[in-house]
Amino acid sequence: MIYAANFKTNHTRQSTREYLGKLQAKLMLERKPSDKVYIFPPLTALDDYESTNFKIGVQNAYPVENGAFTGEVGLEQLAEFNINTILIGHSERRDILKETQEDIAKKFAFFKEHNFEIIYCIGESLEIREQGLEAVMSHLVSQFEGIDTTYENFVVAYEPIWAIGTGRTASVEEITQTHNELKKVVDRPLLYGGSVKGANINEISAIENVDGVLVGGASLKTETFLELVLH
Ligand code: PGA
């Protein structure tokens, strides 16, 4: 299983260090060798972390080496911290930060060219979900526009927007159906995200085409994230 923690705009450099220290101590002893753990802290918390038990990635970056892009971080800044993993297409960046599919595809192409491991997020609104699976799939497929789905170093995260941070998880049936359909479209590891927590990890991880989880809220404390990773 893959367990990915997305801190979003939470944690500082200091609290991230404490978190990772605790995580490392536990994972060293108890991580299943086949499991992979990713942490996506805020950019200001990047540091010289090195561990064989988890990988640090970034929640976002700008698709340039360096240059005049006020407020953005490019490849040169990431290289200083040996970062080669990135989240692309998260619904908060699509919806709140207004990234278009074209922006996202550009970002994907750039980081692919630099051999980054990409966790690529897709997901539908409640309005689309209520129209049924066909409408959901047509929306999800449209979020692969401009994306090279044959890239060998990427993972897909299916995150229904209505389940993110709401405490409302998609049902086992909804996840099963959507993941089965998605696997026909893109043959990559497939994460589920949206209110994953200790209380639902068993049923979600038991679904055949769920290869891992992307976690926001329940990843913010080492204890609650470990409940998932060591379940
Ligand atoms: P959540 O967030 O676990 O808080 O629902 C998931 C995500 O946005 O990746």
Side-chain angles (χ1 to χ4, degrees), residues 71-129:
E72 296 292 338
V73 161
L75 207 55
E76 185 179 301
Q77 289 77 36
L78 300 183
E80 185 177 15
F81 298 102
N82 297 315
I83 297 292
N84 50 23
T85 307
I86 187 168
L87 276 185
I88 295 180
H90 192 280
S91 63
E92 285 152 16
R93 296 213 56 89
R94 291 179 191 265
D95 294 348
I96 305 171
L97 283 309
K98 305 292 175 215
E99 280 186 18
T100 64
Q101 185 59 30
E102 202 184 337
D103 299 330
I104 289 166
K106 258 193 218 152
K107 214 174 261 191
F108 190 101
F110 179 85
F111 287 102
K112 174 194 147 197
E113 200 184 306
H114 291 91
N115 298 315
F116 268 57
E117 181 166 17
I118 298 171
I119 300 200
Y120 184 68
C121 307
I122 55 172
E124 83 286 355
S125 64
L126 187 58
E127 197 188 339
I128 296 176
R129 171 53 70 178

Side-chain angles (χ1 to χ4, degrees), residues 15-45:
S15 66
T16 301
R17 179 166 288 283
E18 286 162 13
Y19 181 108
L20 294 176
K22 283 198 256 172
L23 188 73
Q24 168 67 7
K26 269 291 213 188
L27 293 183
M28 226 165 58
L29 301 172
E30 298 182 44
R31 183 176 68 95
K32 293 187 208 98
S34 57
D35 286 344
K36 276 181 158 179
V37 177
Y38 295 86
I39 309 290
F40 294 88
L43 285 166
T44 57

Side-chain angles (χ1 to χ4, degrees), residues 8 26 38 74 86 89 119 135 142 145 169 177 181 190 194 202:
K8 308 189 179 181
K26 269 291 213 188
Y38 295 86
I86 187 168
I119 300 200
S142 78
E145 212 176 288
T169 321
Q177 284 180 339
E181 289 304 306
L190 188 49
N202 283 332

Side-chain angles (χ1 to χ4, degrees), residues 1-3 23-38 52-54 201-202 205-206 211-213 225-231:
M1 281 277 285
I2 296 171
Y3 299 89
L23 188 73
Q24 168 67 7
K26 269 291 213 188
L27 293 183
M28 226 165 58
L29 301 172
E30 298 182 44
R31 183 176 68 95
K32 293 187 208 98
S34 57
D35 286 344
K36 276 181 158 179
V37 177
Y38 295 86
T52 49
N53 287 303
F54 59 80
I201 186 68
N202 283 332
S205 62
D211 303 305
V213 286
F225 187 52
L226 280 167
E227 262 180 51
L228 308 178
V229 178
L230 305 177
H231 79 275

Side-chain angles (χ1 to χ4, degrees), residues 4 6 8 87 90-92 121 159 163-167 193-197 214-219:
N6 176 9
K8 308 189 179 181
L87 276 185
H90 192 280
S91 63
E92 285 152 16
C121 307
E159 301 200 297
I164 295 179
T166 57
S195 298
V196 176
K197 48 184 182 276
L214 177 55
V215 190
S219 76

